[in-house]
């Protein structure tokens, strides 16, 4: 049953939100006039579209997998499906970050509502922080505080939505974009990231996909879910392509600076002079505090195109009718950004590099799974599943459902991020837990291997 529900949710065609709205409104009109056995029907019901939309999010898929765990298995669950290492002692945030929150609370100055666009000191500190290494300087007026990076995504897509508009999203990518696009009536067009080219953007496909109704192109760097880091030259080509097509770039930098391979990290915002960029980010990943829900949306646009086009005004309009991040957390941001020492960041980078190596080497021990590129950034990596080597597993969804049930290991099926018969493994966990999870995956694959299958050994 769990497998069937998950498969249906992930493989169902993505409907436009406007279609779902029309259907629900029609049902409500009927409900209001229906009488049954002399009893009036209530004139409301749940928004069914939200249920189908949430099913395609990472959280929705992981919830379904967790629901299929074998309660008889006494072993601890190995969570290799989501990027939240804050549960593990080795990934505890910096003490200065915790102290900044305490200081902000004890000051008793920030128990009030926040300004619509955010606390001014936090906006200024983030502008300075994000300006480092840029060929231009960001202003505090360019910064808008959000409830994590997820609300920044919501705002970006909401302000760009208009009838008939479409947006270009990477495949594989972060499915929250698809969910927000569906909710806002934006048509989604996917461009491929090419595993044989270190997950580079297929720019020829981008040029083919875009038309006069294309509003934006999303670039996630460092890459989620692929663990890639785009080179300066490739990002420059992406920016020039977007400029030529007349679309803005949405630079998803949730994993900003979490790069540990041979490719130097360059933020998408560095190319704001070429094409207008909406930069989305947060303190969630670099400081390992996703529960603090402090993010930002930044107009990285020294040429002022976003202001002239009304995008800036629309961002403010959205914030006027939405919730704000907690004021005391906003007020702690300047201290967090200024006082966190480099040794904390270096420690996190070293742990992620070690875990990425463990993951890459562990996957090589499992014949039915291959990794085209060792992760160089973020907290996850994509690996390809060869289910033809397995006896009773037909795709990535069935693999993940049975792996959760039999081995209490949670891995995200690739179809959830746009690539069928791939898997996303999150390696940002304690090294010993990662090793245990990979060992269980190997045992699972040995158990399900076809008889006399080359490569599998006991």
């Amino acid at each position: 049953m769990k497998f069937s529900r998950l498969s249906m949710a992930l493989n169902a065609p993505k409907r436009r939100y406007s279609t779902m709205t029309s259907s629900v409104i029609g049902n409500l009109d009927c409900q209001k006039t229906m009488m049954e056995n002399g009893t009036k029907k209530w004139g409301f019901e749940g928004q069914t579209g939200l249920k189908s939309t949430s099913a395609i999010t990472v959280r929705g898929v992981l919830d379904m997998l967790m629901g299929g765990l074998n309660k008889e298995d006494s072993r601890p669950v190995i969570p290799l499906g989501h990027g939240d290492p804050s549960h593990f002692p080795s990934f505890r945030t910096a003490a200065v970050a915790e102290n900044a929150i305490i200081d902000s609370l004890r000051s008793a100055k920030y128990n009030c509502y926040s300004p619509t666009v955010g606390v001014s000191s936090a906006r200024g500190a983030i502008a300075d922080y994000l300006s480092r290494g840029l060929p231009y300087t960001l202003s505090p007026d360019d910064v808008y505080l959000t409830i994590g990076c997820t609300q920044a995504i919501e705002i970006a897509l909401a302000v760009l939505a208009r009838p008939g508009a479409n947006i270009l999203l990477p495949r594989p990518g972060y499915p929250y974009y698809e969910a927000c696009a569906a909710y806002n009536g934006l048509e989604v067009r996917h461009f491929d990231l090419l595993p044989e080219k270190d997950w580079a953007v297929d720019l020829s496909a981008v040029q083919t996909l875009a038309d006069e109704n294309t509003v934006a192109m999303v670039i996630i760097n460092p890459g989620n879910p692929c663990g890639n880091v785009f080179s300066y030259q490739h990002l420059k080509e992406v920016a020039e392509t977007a400029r030529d097509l007349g679309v803005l770039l949405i630079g998803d930098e949730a994993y900003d600076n979490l790069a540990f391979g041979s490719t130097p990290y360059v933020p998408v915002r560095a190319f704001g002079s070429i094409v207008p960029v909406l930069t989305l980010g947060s303190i969630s990943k670099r400081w390992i505090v996703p529960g603090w829900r402090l993010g930002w949306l930044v107009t990285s646009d020294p040429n002022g195109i976003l202001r002239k086009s009304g995008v800036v005004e629309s961002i403010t309009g959205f914030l006027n009718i939405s919730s704000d991040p907690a004021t005391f957390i906003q007020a702690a941001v300047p201290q967090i950004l200024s006082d966190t020492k480099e040794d904390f960041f270096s420690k996190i980078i070293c742990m992620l590099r070690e875990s990425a190596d463990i993951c890459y080497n562990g996957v090589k021990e499992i014949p039915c799974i291959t990794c085209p590129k060792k992760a160089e950034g973020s907290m996850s990596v994509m690996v390809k599943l060869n289910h033809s080597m397995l006896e009773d597993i037909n795709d990535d969804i069935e693999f993940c459902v049975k792996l959760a049930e039999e081995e209490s290991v949670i891995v995200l099926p690739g179809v959830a991020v746009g690539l069928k018969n791939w898997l996303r493994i999150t390696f940002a966990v304690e090294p010993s837990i990662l090793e245990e999870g990979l060992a269980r995956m190997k045992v699972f694959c040995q158990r399900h291997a076809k008889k006399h299958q080359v490569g599998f050994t006991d």
Side-chain angles (χ1 to χ4, degrees), residues 126 129-130 142-156 177 219-222 250-257 265 267 269 277-287 290 293-300 325 333 337:
I126 292 168
Y129 169 72
L130 295 180
D142 296 323
V143 179
Y144 303 87
L145 277 295
T146 62
I147 305 173
C149 198
T150 53
Q151 191 188 36
I153 294 173
E154 294 166 7
I155 296 169
Y177 283 97
I219 296 294
I220 305 174
N221 188 50
I250 295 176
D252 186 325
E253 298 171 0
Y255 291 91
D256 187 48
N257 283 294
Y265 169 64
R269 62 183 181 272
V277 177
L278 288 180
T279 296
L280 317 182
S282 74
I283 62 173
S284 297
K285 304 299 183 181
R286 196 179 190 202
W287 274 267
R293 310 312 300 136
L294 192 288
W296 50 77
L297 183 151
V298 179
T299 53
S300 307
V333 166
L337 297 184

Side-chain angles (χ1 to χ4, degrees), residues 89 97 139 205 228 260 264 277 280 318 329 335 353 378 390 397 442:
S139 160
N228 61 301
F260 40 83
V277 177
L280 317 182
F318 186 103
I329 295 181
Q335 189 175 333
R353 182 185 293 115
S378 75
L390 304 174
I397 300 175
K442 182 177 180 180

